[in-house]
Amino acid sequence: MPDPATQPAPPPALTTAVPDLTLTALTPADADAYYALLDRNRTHLSRLGDYQEERDATEAWVRDHLSRDPAPDLRYGIRLRGRLIGRADLIAVDPPRYGTGYWLDEAHVGAGYATAACTALYRHAADALGATDVFAGVTHGNTRSVALLTRLGFEQVADFADYTRFHLSLR
Ligand SMILES: CC(C)(COP(=O)(O)OP(=O)(O)OC[C@H]1O[C@@H](n2cnc3c(N)ncnc32)[C@H](O)[C@@H]1OP(=O)(O)O)[C@@H](O)C(=O)NCCC(=O)NCCS
């Protein structure tokens, strides 16, 4: 069991433009809720061939996954009235340039929650970490993700066999 006294502090909770929607660190304490969330979203997440580990997740995989300290990446749970409905990550690929990932419970798609969550995350990245750029890779055919990135101000910068790379300047 890791000693809590030697564990790094989790990243701060973030509020969003949606009053009941917050981002707080996704930690080992979320294992049961995160497994339940994954278990009802296996098809939703893997429809385009992404998220293979999540599609095959077991409770043991989730416990191991969440027990790993994500630093220097930021790993946030998206929570609506405190209930876990998704995930948003900031990946320290080459600071101040970052990558990102995000997903929502299928039952909560279509309400603007990913837009609000990602806006808060990238604002925090710029203000607290000095992030200058965020990149995202989107598998061809993921129209919802492309629409989300377009709403957030990302632009397409490269096209590959399986995916398109998007870029957001935070300068
Ligand atoms: C990608 C994903 C997170 C996008 O979710 P989403 O719900 O479409 O995006 P948002 O939460 O920003 O919601 C946008 C929708 O809410 C509506 N909306 C309502 N209020 C809104 C607001 N205040 N702001 C923005 N959109 C709002 C929009 O009009 C849009 O509606 P539409 O579904 O009719 O087009 C989701 O589809 C998902 O989890 N997919 C599976 C995982 C995945 O592919 N992840 C990305 C890998 S690159």
Side-chain angles (χ1 to χ4, degrees):
M1 195 73 173
D3 175 2
T6 62
Q7 292 296 298
L14 306 177
T15 56
T16 76
V18 176
D20 293 331
L21 191 80
T22 55
L23 299 185
T24 55
L26 192 61
T27 74
D30 294 306
D32 289 347
Y34 191 60
Y35 178 76
L37 184 65
L38 283 181
D39 194 39
R40 59 177 184 270
N41 282 284
R42 294 179 195 273
T43 305
H44 170 56
L45 289 175
S46 61
R47 208 163 266 137
L48 293 167
D50 302 330
Y51 297 103
Q52 296 298 303
E53 288 187 306
E54 285 77 3
R55 181 200 64 185
D56 299 335
T58 61
E59 292 177 87
W61 180 85
V62 166
R63 276 194 300 276
D64 178 63
H65 178 67
L66 295 184
S67 73
R68 293 170 191 267
D69 176 16
D73 301 347
L74 302 188
R75 183 178 68 202
Y76 276 108
I78 304 173
R79 301 174 206 257
L80 185 64
R81 291 182 287 280
R83 186 159 184 249
L84 192 61
I85 63 158
R87 171 171 174 163
D89 291 67
L90 193 72
I91 303 149
V93 177
D94 181 24
R97 290 170 287 279
Y98 288 80
T100 189
Y102 41 78
W103 62 268
L104 283 178
D105 186 353
E106 189 168 21
H108 290 92
V109 162
Y113 296 149
T115 299
C118 290
T119 299
L121 178 58
Y122 307 149
R123 190 189 314 122
H124 173 71
D127 294 349
L129 307 178
T132 55
D133 303 84
V134 182
F135 291 89
V138 181
T139 301
H140 294 322
N142 195 342
T143 51
R144 278 197 172 275
S145 189
V146 171
L148 168 63
L149 292 173
T150 304
R151 269 194 299 280
L152 293 168
F154 281 74
E155 294 179 349
Q156 294 189 21
V157 289
D159 204 24
F160 301 96
D162 298 329
Y163 71 97
T164 303
R165 179 178 294 153
F166 287 76
H167 169 248
L168 176 68
S169 173
L170 298 173
R171 287 170 206 265

